[in-house]
Amino acid sequence: MRELRPLTPDRVGDLVGSCAPCTFWQTVPRNGHSDPSEPLVLLAEWVESVTADWGPPGRIAYVDGQPAGHVVVAPARHVARLAAFPTSPSDPSTLMLVTAVTTPEYAGRGLRKALVQSAAKDALRHRVRSLEAVAARPLAVSRHACVLDVGFLEKVGFRVERDHPAYPRLRIDLRTVVTLRDEAAAAIARALDRVPGVRPVPESHPSGSSHAHVSDRD
């Protein structure tokens, strides 16, 4: 069985990655030290806060009950780490793609791209006109694994909105990508169909630091 479920406080333990849960984007170091809170506790509180203000901040993909990947999105006002980047948006309501990651066995199967498409579909439900992301170029020094790579974002339709030699901000205009409304669920299905033994089930509808490894593959 496969399905997409909203990211909720009780599901933060299902976020994937070599060092998940990731709280990189949700926190800013204090005097060189990370927030002392337990990552799961801090992330659950963050998810609850974003949900109350905007809605579930992402989706988790499951295959036979096991997490296979996730995507996280949130308005810029909830993404504290943006303040550390020179290309952070000036509008706190800007919807940001925070991360998109899959487990190693799904790398290269198109699931990460499909998760980004599902985030765009959710954004359209909120009548959001665009989705943005601060990403890293290959020249970025000491690039954190949670910062998406420019190459991946450009492959899925993002374009540079504000350039920078290391950390540009990219944007996708959702008004020009109307096919996302119909294709996101199908893309997830196609990606998971490539896994032997996986049977399709309907996509679930949404109700209503530690580090994470991010593969550079689609």
Side-chain angles (χ1 to χ4, degrees):
M1 294 179 64
R2 63 167 180 251
E3 57 186 330
L4 282 175
R5 300 176 188 171
L7 175 56
T8 56
D10 60 313
R11 291 183 180 137
V12 296
D14 289 346
L15 298 178
V16 303
S18 59
C19 298
C22 173
T23 60
F24 173 79
W25 286 108
Q26 292 80 9
T27 59
V28 175
R30 296 180 173 86
N31 297 321
H33 299 284
S34 297
D35 192 292
S37 303
E38 287 292 329
L40 279 173
V41 173
L42 191 152
L43 192 52
E45 291 174 348
W46 181 83
V47 170
E48 184 175 18
S49 175
V50 178
T51 300
D53 177 55
W54 184 80
R59 299 288 197 105
I60 302 178
Y62 293 86
V63 177
D64 293 335
Q66 298 300 311
H70 70 262
V71 61
V72 176
V73 296
R77 60 182 173 271
H78 290 288
V79 187
R81 184 74 59 160
L82 283 172
F85 288 85
T87 54
S88 60
S90 58
D91 185 351
S93 66
T94 302
L95 187 61
M96 303 298 296
L97 172 64
V98 177
T99 191
V101 62
T102 67
T103 54
E105 55 266 42
Y106 295 100
R109 297 180 183 271
L111 178 57
R112 190 157 69 121
K113 177 180 178 180
L115 283 165
V116 173
Q117 288 180 309
S118 77
K121 182 181 177 183
D122 287 340
L124 286 168
R125 291 195 185 107
H126 284 271
R127 301 183 183 277
V128 174
R129 295 182 177 183
S130 63
L131 182 62
E132 300 192 9
V134 170
R137 294 191 185 280
L139 293 178
V141 178
S142 301
R143 174 194 163 194
H144 192 283
C146 292
V147 182
L148 290 166
D149 55 288
V150 172
F152 166 71
L153 291 175
E154 290 181 332
K155 285 181 181 178
V156 299
F158 283 75
R159 296 294 178 264
V160 173
E161 174 73 7
R162 182 181 174 189
D163 208 357
H164 187 271
Y167 297 107
R169 187 173 81 247
L170 288 85
R171 179 179 184 271
I172 186 169
D173 188 339
L174 301 181
R175 294 171 298 177
T176 65
V177 196
V178 293
T179 55
L180 287 172
R181 287 187 175 94
D182 302 318
E183 291 184 354
I188 290 284
R190 288 194 298 271
L192 296 181
D193 267 340
R194 299 189 183 102
V195 183
V198 174
R199 295 174 296 175
V201 298
E203 177 192 3
S204 59
H205 190 279
S207 54
S209 135
S210 57
H211 307 296
H213 171 71
V214 177
S215 168
D216 285 337
R217 301 176 66 182
D218 291 355

